[in-house]
Amino acid sequence: MGRLSPGGKGTKTGAFWELVIRPVLDIHYSGRFQTHVPVGRQLFGAAYYADFVVRDDAGGIIVSAKWQQVRGTAEQKLLYEIASLISIIRNSDEYRKAYVVLGGTGFSGGARSFLLRNDHRKVLADGHLVEVVSLEDFLSRANKGEL
């Protein structure tokens, strides 16, 4: 998913996805973001590296870029990702919010709709701490300086 990996063919374009997001951050958040930042631990204990961390006056914002080119298990893994991000934010004074930026045509219609409606908020405590957005929505917010 997030970065270039030796995994299935649906995940190899993750590094490109990050390159799509980075120019907007370079313009509107210059000097206020980092890439591949260790931000805490996933639910099962492994280190979690955020694709981006953006800093503003209110605190840190974790950004996870997720690309799925072909159908696979990414949709189920995203709920684990969201739960891990919620836990990281709850246990940190440094981060106030996270975005999961979705891209690619590999998400099933039902899963994509569920995620973009942020329906995880109905089933996960503190789900409001993580927002799932499309690339267009994320870029629009970043362009306005409204992350």
Side-chain angles (χ1 to χ4, degrees):
M1 287 189 312
R3 65 176 61 90
L4 189 60
S5 72
K9 63 184 174 182
T11 62
K12 292 182 181 177
T13 52
F16 173 77
W17 190 236
E18 292 175 26
L19 293 175
V20 171
I21 293 171
R22 186 181 182 122
V24 173
L25 296 179
D26 279 334
I27 292 168
H28 299 285
Y29 292 90
S30 181
R32 296 187 293 153
F33 78 92
Q34 298 171 286
T35 60
H36 301 127
V37 181
V39 295
R41 299 244 168 239
Q42 297 175 32
L43 292 179
F44 300 152
Y48 184 97
Y49 287 82
D51 294 318
F52 301 97
V53 171
V54 178
R55 309 241 183 238
D56 64 13
D57 295 337
I61 303 164
I62 299 168
V63 179
S64 176
K66 298 300 174 193
W67 174 270
Q68 186 66 19
Q69 186 167 305
V70 297
R71 296 246 171 155
T73 59
E75 340 183 297
Q76 293 84 10
K77 292 176 184 177
L78 278 175
L79 290 176
Y80 175 80
E81 168 113 2
I82 291 167
S84 291
L85 287 167
I86 290 168
S87 179
I88 289 166
I89 295 167
R90 271 194 210 142
N91 292 306
S92 171
D93 294 330
E94 189 173 350
Y95 306 107
R96 65 178 175 86
K97 180 176 187 164
Y99 285 103
V100 176
V101 183
L102 289 188
T105 58
F107 295 101
S108 70
R112 185 175 187 82
S113 294
F114 177 92
L115 292 164
L116 290 175
R117 282 191 316 261
N118 286 284
D119 281 349
H120 66 275
R121 295 174 178 178
K122 296 176 183 176
V123 295
L124 297 174
D126 291 331
H128 66 281
L129 296 172
V130 178
E131 189 168 358
V132 180
V133 296
S134 67
L135 174 65
E136 295 83 5
D137 189 17
F138 183 81
L139 295 179
S140 175
R141 292 176 192 205
N143 276 328
K144 296 175 190 173
E146 296 177 353
L147 293 181

